[in-house]
Amino acid sequence: MTMTGEEHTRGLTGPWWWPRRRSAVFDGALALASALECGAEGIGFARDAGIPVWAGVLFGVAAGTVLLVRRKWPVAVVLVAIAVTPAQMGFLLGIVGLYTLAAAEVPRRVIGALAGMSLAGTAVVTFVRVRQDMARGDLTLGDWFVPFAAVATALGLTAPPVLLGLYVGARRRLMESLRERADSLERELQLLAERAEERAEWARGEERTRIAREMHDVVAHRVSLMVVHAAAVQAVARKDPEKAVRNAALVGDMGRQALTELREMLGVLRAAEGDQVAGRRPAGVPLAAVGEAAAAAAAASRVVEEAGEGPCLSELEELVGQSAAAGMVVELSVQGEARPYAAEVEQTAYRVVQEALTNVHKHAAGAKTRVRLAHRVSEIAMQVENEPPAEPGSASAAGLPSGGNGLLGMRERVLALGGVFVSGPTDAGGFRVSAVIPAA
C-alpha cells in the first residue's frame, strides 16, 4: 500500500539522512557485518603485506564501516570497495555498494563506469589469485580454468547487485511518480469539490431569487385584486347588494387561484428538497464532496425546470379580464400572428404584464390602461401604459402597500432571457412599462 506525498513526508522520522529509524538500524547492522568481515580478512592481508596484524585488522574495520553512509554517498562506498579489492577483502561491501549505487538517483553513465571498474578489478584479482593457487599446486585443473574463474567470479559479484539495484530504483521512482499523481489528483478533486460547491451555492441563490420573484408576482397580483374587490364590496354593500355579492365571489375566486398557485410552487420545492436529502452523501473525501455538491446543484436545477411550468400567453386575455372585473378600464391589443414560444419566454411575458397591471392597481387606481402585445419575427414585445388617475387620491384608495420589488423583478426576468426592459413615467403623467424578449 503506497502513501500519498503528505503521508510520505510525515513518515520521514529517521536521524540524519535516513528516512526512518529502522533504515538507520539496518545500515548499522550491515556496516557492523562488513566491518567484521573486512577485519577478519585484514589478518591475511597483513600477513601477505608484511605489516602488523593490528594494522591490517584496523584497515579492514575502517573500510567495512563505510557502508554506514551508503545511502548518502553511494559513489564513495563503491570507490572504497574497488580500492580494497586488491587486498581481497570487502565482498559484502562491494555487493551492497553496487546495489545501492544502481538503486540511487545517479546518472547511468556513472553507474556503468563504476560497475565496469568493479568488474575489471574483481576479474584481475581473481585471475591472479587462481593462477597463484595453481602455481603452488593447490589446484590441478587446466589453464582454461583461470580465465573462466576470473570472468565467472567478476560477473557473479557485479551483475546481480547492479541489476537488482536498477530494478528497485526504477520501481521506487515509479512509486514516487504514482504518489505525485495521487497528490495531484487529490488537489484536483478538492478544487472540483470547491467549484461544485460554489456552483451549488450559486444555483441555490438563483433559485431563492427566482422563488422570491414568483411569490411576489403570484401573491401581489392576486391579493391586489382581492383588496380592490374587497374595497368595492365595502363601497357598494348597501347601495347595490347584487354587485357586492358578485365582487365577493370574485374575491373568493382570486383567493382560491392564489392558493392553488402557491400550493403548486410549494409542492415543487418540497419535491426538490426531498431529492437533495436523498442524494446527500457523507462528506469526508474530496470525491464525496464533489458528488454531494453536484447533487445539490442538480437538485436546484430541477427546481428551476419543474417550477418553470407556469402561465402562458394564452391566459393573457383572462388576466386582463380579471383587472377589468376589478373596475380597471383596460384595453388589450395583439399584433402579429400568435405562435408557441419557449415556456420561459411565455411565462416571462405573462409575468411582466401581470406585474404592470398590479402596479396600476396599486399606484393609479381608476386610470385607463392599454396593454399591447406584438408577435414579431424573432422577438415578442409587450407594453403596459396607463394614464394618470382620474382622481388624485384614488391611487391609495384601496390602501395597497408597495414592496418596491415589482419593477426590479420584471427587469431581472427580461434581462435573464437576453431581452430589453424599459420603464418610466410618460409625458402625460402616466406610467409605461415596455419589454422585448427574443423568441428563441
Side-chain angles (χ1 to χ4, degrees):
M1 194 74 180
T2 60
M3 297 182 294
T4 61
E6 295 181 357
E7 294 174 347
H8 181 69
T9 302
R10 289 195 298 266
L12 303 180
T13 58
W16 295 335
W17 56 82
W18 286 285
R20 288 173 295 274
R21 294 184 182 277
R22 63 182 182 182
S23 301
V25 173
F26 180 72
D27 286 357
L30 284 178
L32 178 61
S34 178
L36 294 176
E37 176 204 351
C38 293
E41 293 168 345
I43 299 175
F45 169 70
R47 185 175 56 251
D48 295 339
I51 61 176
V53 174
W54 63 268
V57 173
L58 183 60
F59 174 75
V61 170
T65 54
V66 176
L67 272 183
L68 199 63
V69 297
R70 69 183 186 94
R71 298 177 190 267
K72 186 69 173 179
W73 297 292
V75 175
V77 174
V78 175
L79 290 176
V80 171
I82 294 173
V84 300
T85 298
Q88 297 184 9
M89 65 173 61
F91 294 102
L92 179 61
L93 177 65
I95 293 174
V96 177
L98 287 174
Y99 163 79
T100 306
L101 176 69
E105 297 292 336
V106 179
R108 293 294 178 87
R109 61 179 181 275
V110 176
I111 297 175
L114 293 178
M117 293 171 59
S118 178
L119 177 67
T122 304
V124 170
V125 171
T126 305
F127 183 89
V128 173
R129 185 67 177 179
V130 173
R131 194 171 188 83
Q132 290 176 352
D133 291 342
M134 292 186 66
R136 289 196 302 265
D138 296 338
L139 295 174
T140 58
L141 298 175
D143 294 338
W144 61 270
F145 182 73
V146 177
F148 173 77
V151 173
T153 303
L155 289 176
L157 295 177
T158 304
V162 171
L163 295 177
L164 181 61
L166 291 175
Y167 167 75
V168 172
R171 184 177 180 275
R172 183 182 301 155
R173 287 187 290 272
L174 175 62
M175 299 307 294
E176 291 176 355
S177 174
L178 292 177
R179 276 196 295 268
E180 292 177 357
R181 293 180 61 182
D183 292 341
S184 176
L185 180 60
E186 184 176 0
R187 287 191 296 270
E188 291 179 2
L189 286 176
Q190 291 176 349
L191 182 60
L192 287 176
E194 294 174 359
R195 290 181 177 177
E197 183 61 31
E198 291 176 358
R199 292 184 60 186
E201 185 62 30
W202 174 84
R204 286 190 289 267
E206 289 292 317
E207 182 56 20
R208 284 192 292 267
T209 303
R210 193 201 64 79
I211 292 172
R213 287 198 301 262
E214 288 290 331
M215 298 288 287
H216 176 272
D217 293 343
V218 172
V219 174
H221 180 73
R222 301 295 184 191
V223 174
S224 297
L225 292 179
M226 291 171 63
V227 172
V228 171
H229 283 296
V233 170
Q234 185 179 5
V236 302
R238 295 180 179 180
K239 298 179 181 180
D240 191 350
E242 293 183 359
K243 185 176 182 181
V245 170
R246 289 195 299 271
N247 287 337
L250 288 175
V251 171
D253 291 339
M254 294 296 174
R256 283 188 289 271
Q257 292 176 6
L259 287 175
T260 300
E261 293 187 14
L262 288 175
R263 286 194 188 100
E264 292 177 355
M265 189 176 300
L266 293 176
V268 172
L269 290 176
R270 289 194 183 99
E273 184 179 358
D275 291 343
Q276 287 183 350
V277 173
R280 188 170 297 150
R281 297 187 299 176
V285 293
L287 188 58
V290 173
E292 181 182 351
S301 300
R302 285 198 297 273
V303 172
V304 177
E305 295 175 359
E306 294 175 4
E309 300 179 1
C312 56
L313 290 177
S314 61
E315 303 174 10
L316 194 60
E317 187 174 353
E318 179 183 356
L319 175 66
V320 174
Q322 293 174 354
S323 294
M328 179 187 293
V329 181
V330 56
E331 298 178 359
L332 172 64
S333 63
V334 180
Q335 299 177 358
E337 184 178 355
R339 61 184 187 275
Y341 299 95
E344 59 270 16
V345 174
E346 294 203 14
Q347 182 177 357
T348 300
Y350 181 93
R351 293 301 188 193
V352 168
V353 176
Q354 182 187 53
E355 181 58 28
L357 292 176
T358 302
N359 288 340
V360 175
H361 284 293
K362 290 181 179 181
H363 307 291
K368 185 178 180 179
T369 306
R370 288 180 293 275
V371 179
R372 300 184 180 92
L373 182 67
H375 299 277
R376 300 172 183 172
V377 177
S378 59
E379 60 188 17
I380 179 173
M382 64 228 63
Q383 184 182 85
V384 179
E385 180 179 353
N386 64 274
E387 298 178 356
E391 300 179 5
S394 62
S396 58
L400 291 171
S402 176
N405 296 318
L407 294 177
L408 178 61
M410 285 189 283
R411 179 182 298 276
E412 290 177 349
R413 285 180 179 274
V414 174
L415 296 182
L417 298 179
V420 178
F421 179 84
V422 178
S423 63
T426 63
D427 296 336
F431 200 84
R432 180 188 298 118
V433 172
S434 302
V436 179
I437 304 174

